[in-house]
Amino acid sequence: MARRPSPAGGCGTLIGVLLLVGLAILVIKWALITAAILAVPFGVWWLVDRSRQRRRVDAAGAAAARRAEVESRAVVDAAGGCGWCGSRIPHRDDRTGVPVSPRRFHRDEIEETIAPTS
């Protein structure tokens, strides 16, 4: 005689499958909620960090451009004079008397000019 499956055995399998599906949904839901909870503060932190870094790079670029622009004035011009002060006499080092470039001679004045903008 062939045995028919009992209704209780089928019910136990159905309950086991439902428990596994429910557990899988619970784990997936937990993972998504955890990811969302962590994504918000780390996303905000990442955006703030990127904007600060961009501002630092922009400020450094602006400072370098300002320095290059101010130092470009302290050169020997086409007439052979100093582009910074206009002197036609070559600049000499105060201690040694050796001729120096206008940029080196006017270094303190260049730094004073750049300092307020830094």
mmCIF file of all heavy atoms in Angstrom, residues 1 7 18 28-29 32 44 47 51 54 58 79 86 91 95 100-102 113:
data_model
loop_
_atom_site.group_PDB
_atom_site.id
_atom_site.type_symbol
_atom_site.label_atom_id
_atom_site.label_comp_id
_atom_site.label_asym_id
_atom_site.label_seq_id
_atom_site.Cartn_x
_atom_site.Cartn_y
_atom_site.Cartn_z
ATOM 1 N N MET A 1 0.797 -1.156 0.000
ATOM 2 C CA MET A 1 0.000 0.000 0.000
ATOM 3 C C MET A 1 0.863 1.252 0.000
ATOM 4 O O MET A 1 1.811 1.345 0.759
ATOM 5 C CB MET A 1 -0.721 -0.036 1.307
ATOM 6 C CG MET A 1 -2.062 -0.032 1.349
ATOM 7 S SD MET A 1 -2.742 0.139 2.843
ATOM 8 C CE MET A 1 -4.231 0.190 2.603
ATOM 9 N N PRO A 7 -0.795 15.438 5.986
ATOM 10 C CA PRO A 7 -0.891 16.880 5.877
ATOM 11 C C PRO A 7 0.030 17.597 6.866
ATOM 12 O O PRO A 7 0.504 18.687 6.604
ATOM 13 C CB PRO A 7 -2.342 17.194 6.198
ATOM 14 C CG PRO A 7 -3.056 15.897 6.265
ATOM 15 C CD PRO A 7 -2.031 14.811 6.314
ATOM 16 N N LEU A 18 8.866 29.125 4.698
ATOM 17 C CA LEU A 18 8.458 30.481 5.074
ATOM 18 C C LEU A 18 9.434 31.102 6.075
ATOM 19 O O LEU A 18 9.754 32.301 5.994
ATOM 20 C CB LEU A 18 7.048 30.470 5.648
ATOM 21 C CG LEU A 18 5.911 30.267 4.638
ATOM 22 C CD1 LEU A 18 4.567 30.182 5.355
ATOM 23 C CD2 LEU A 18 5.902 31.386 3.613
ATOM 24 N N ILE A 28 18.430 40.812 4.527
ATOM 25 C CA ILE A 28 18.580 41.809 3.452
ATOM 26 C C ILE A 28 18.110 43.180 3.934
ATOM 27 O O ILE A 28 18.770 44.198 3.697
ATOM 28 C CB ILE A 28 17.801 41.350 2.198
ATOM 29 C CG1 ILE A 28 18.480 40.127 1.581
ATOM 30 C CG2 ILE A 28 17.705 42.476 1.183
ATOM 31 C CD1 ILE A 28 17.684 39.457 0.488
ATOM 32 N N LYS A 29 16.987 43.210 4.628
ATOM 33 C CA LYS A 29 16.467 44.470 5.165
ATOM 34 C C LYS A 29 17.447 45.087 6.167
ATOM 35 O O LYS A 29 17.714 46.293 6.135
ATOM 36 C CB LYS A 29 15.121 44.198 5.832
ATOM 37 C CG LYS A 29 14.355 45.413 6.211
ATOM 38 C CD LYS A 29 12.950 45.005 6.627
ATOM 39 C CE LYS A 29 12.601 45.625 7.936
ATOM 40 N NZ LYS A 29 11.258 45.290 8.394
ATOM 41 N N LEU A 32 20.405 46.584 4.246
ATOM 42 C CA LEU A 32 20.063 47.842 3.564
ATOM 43 C C LEU A 32 19.900 49.000 4.549
ATOM 44 O O LEU A 32 20.363 50.109 4.290
ATOM 45 C CB LEU A 32 18.781 47.654 2.741
ATOM 46 C CG LEU A 32 18.915 46.754 1.508
ATOM 47 C CD1 LEU A 32 17.555 46.539 0.873
ATOM 48 C CD2 LEU A 32 19.895 47.341 0.519
ATOM 49 N N VAL A 44 28.121 62.689 3.965
ATOM 50 C CA VAL A 44 28.267 64.095 4.358
ATOM 51 C C VAL A 44 29.724 64.404 4.654
ATOM 52 O O VAL A 44 30.256 65.433 4.222
ATOM 53 C CB VAL A 44 27.367 64.422 5.570
ATOM 54 C CG1 VAL A 44 27.698 65.785 6.149
ATOM 55 C CG2 VAL A 44 25.907 64.334 5.176
ATOM 56 N N LEU A 47 31.654 64.689 1.382
ATOM 57 C CA LEU A 47 31.386 65.942 0.671
ATOM 58 C C LEU A 47 32.091 67.123 1.334
ATOM 59 O O LEU A 47 32.679 67.977 0.655
ATOM 60 C CB LEU A 47 29.882 66.196 0.607
ATOM 61 C CG LEU A 47 29.094 65.294 -0.331
ATOM 62 C CD1 LEU A 47 27.607 65.534 -0.157
ATOM 63 C CD2 LEU A 47 29.516 65.518 -1.766
ATOM 64 N N SER A 51 35.123 69.420 -0.344
ATOM 65 C CA SER A 51 35.015 70.871 -0.515
ATOM 66 C C SER A 51 36.169 71.589 0.194
ATOM 67 O O SER A 51 36.710 72.564 -0.324
ATOM 68 C CB SER A 51 33.673 71.382 -0.009
ATOM 69 O OG SER A 51 33.574 71.224 1.379
ATOM 70 N N ARG A 54 39.245 71.108 -1.936
ATOM 71 C CA ARG A 54 39.181 71.952 -3.123
ATOM 72 C C ARG A 54 39.512 73.406 -2.768
ATOM 73 O O ARG A 54 40.223 74.086 -3.507
ATOM 74 C CB ARG A 54 37.796 71.854 -3.748
ATOM 75 C CG ARG A 54 37.711 72.500 -5.114
ATOM 76 C CD ARG A 54 36.373 72.251 -5.796
ATOM 77 N NE ARG A 54 36.179 70.832 -6.012
ATOM 78 C CZ ARG A 54 35.136 70.143 -5.563
ATOM 79 N NH1 ARG A 54 34.198 70.739 -4.865
ATOM 80 N NH2 ARG A 54 35.021 68.855 -5.800
ATOM 81 N N ASP A 58 42.562 75.570 -4.201
ATOM 82 C CA ASP A 58 42.312 76.856 -4.829
ATOM 83 C C ASP A 58 43.105 77.972 -4.141
ATOM 84 O O ASP A 58 43.663 78.847 -4.796
ATOM 85 C CB ASP A 58 40.819 77.191 -4.796
ATOM 86 C CG ASP A 58 40.007 76.282 -5.707
ATOM 87 O OD1 ASP A 58 40.619 75.588 -6.549
ATOM 88 O OD2 ASP A 58 38.769 76.259 -5.562
ATOM 89 N N ALA A 79 65.451 97.921 -20.546
ATOM 90 C CA ALA A 79 66.427 99.007 -20.549
ATOM 91 C C ALA A 79 67.608 98.708 -19.627
ATOM 92 O O ALA A 79 68.525 99.521 -19.500
ATOM 93 C CB ALA A 79 65.763 100.310 -20.126
ATOM 94 N N GLY A 86 63.077 100.535 -10.397
ATOM 95 C CA GLY A 86 63.406 101.407 -11.511
ATOM 96 C C GLY A 86 64.852 101.869 -11.544
ATOM 97 O O GLY A 86 65.242 102.656 -12.405
ATOM 98 N N HIS A 91 71.985 96.200 -8.681
ATOM 99 C CA HIS A 91 71.935 96.027 -7.230
ATOM 100 C C HIS A 91 73.125 95.191 -6.767
ATOM 101 O O HIS A 91 73.562 94.271 -7.443
ATOM 102 C CB HIS A 91 70.636 95.323 -6.826
ATOM 103 C CG HIS A 91 69.409 96.135 -7.097
ATOM 104 N ND1 HIS A 91 69.193 97.386 -6.590
ATOM 105 C CD2 HIS A 91 68.302 95.851 -7.835
ATOM 106 C CE1 HIS A 91 68.032 97.842 -6.987
ATOM 107 N NE2 HIS A 91 67.470 96.927 -7.760
ATOM 108 N N ARG A 95 76.499 93.123 2.152
ATOM 109 C CA ARG A 95 77.632 92.575 2.906
ATOM 110 C C ARG A 95 78.848 92.319 2.032
ATOM 111 O O ARG A 95 79.963 92.642 2.411
ATOM 112 C CB ARG A 95 77.220 91.284 3.606
ATOM 113 C CG ARG A 95 76.236 91.530 4.735
ATOM 114 C CD ARG A 95 75.815 90.258 5.392
ATOM 115 N NE ARG A 95 74.897 89.559 4.463
ATOM 116 C CZ ARG A 95 74.639 88.272 4.463
ATOM 117 N NH1 ARG A 95 75.215 87.496 5.351
ATOM 118 N NH2 ARG A 95 73.804 87.750 3.614
ATOM 119 N N VAL A 100 73.695 91.256 -7.399
ATOM 120 C CA VAL A 100 72.626 90.268 -7.177
ATOM 121 C C VAL A 100 71.429 90.623 -8.062
ATOM 122 O O VAL A 100 71.305 91.747 -8.539
ATOM 123 C CB VAL A 100 72.180 90.215 -5.702
ATOM 124 C CG1 VAL A 100 73.271 89.677 -4.813
ATOM 125 C CG2 VAL A 100 71.702 91.557 -5.214
ATOM 126 N N SER A 101 70.548 89.661 -8.235
ATOM 127 C CA SER A 101 69.349 89.882 -9.050
ATOM 128 C C SER A 101 68.372 90.783 -8.298
ATOM 129 O O SER A 101 68.399 90.848 -7.064
ATOM 130 C CB SER A 101 68.685 88.546 -9.376
ATOM 131 O OG SER A 101 68.133 87.996 -8.204
ATOM 132 N N PRO A 102 67.503 91.476 -9.028
ATOM 133 C CA PRO A 102 66.514 92.318 -8.355
ATOM 134 C C PRO A 102 65.604 91.512 -7.412
ATOM 135 O O PRO A 102 65.226 92.004 -6.348
ATOM 136 C CB PRO A 102 65.695 92.901 -9.504
ATOM 137 C CG PRO A 102 66.647 92.918 -10.661
ATOM 138 C CD PRO A 102 67.488 91.690 -10.479
ATOM 139 N N THR A 113 54.916 92.588 0.529
ATOM 140 C CA THR A 113 53.821 92.797 -0.396
ATOM 141 C C THR A 113 52.875 91.592 -0.434
ATOM 142 O O THR A 113 51.660 91.734 -0.508
ATOM 143 C CB THR A 113 54.353 93.066 -1.807
ATOM 144 O OG1 THR A 113 55.242 94.197 -1.759
ATOM 145 C CG2 THR A 113 53.227 93.351 -2.780
#
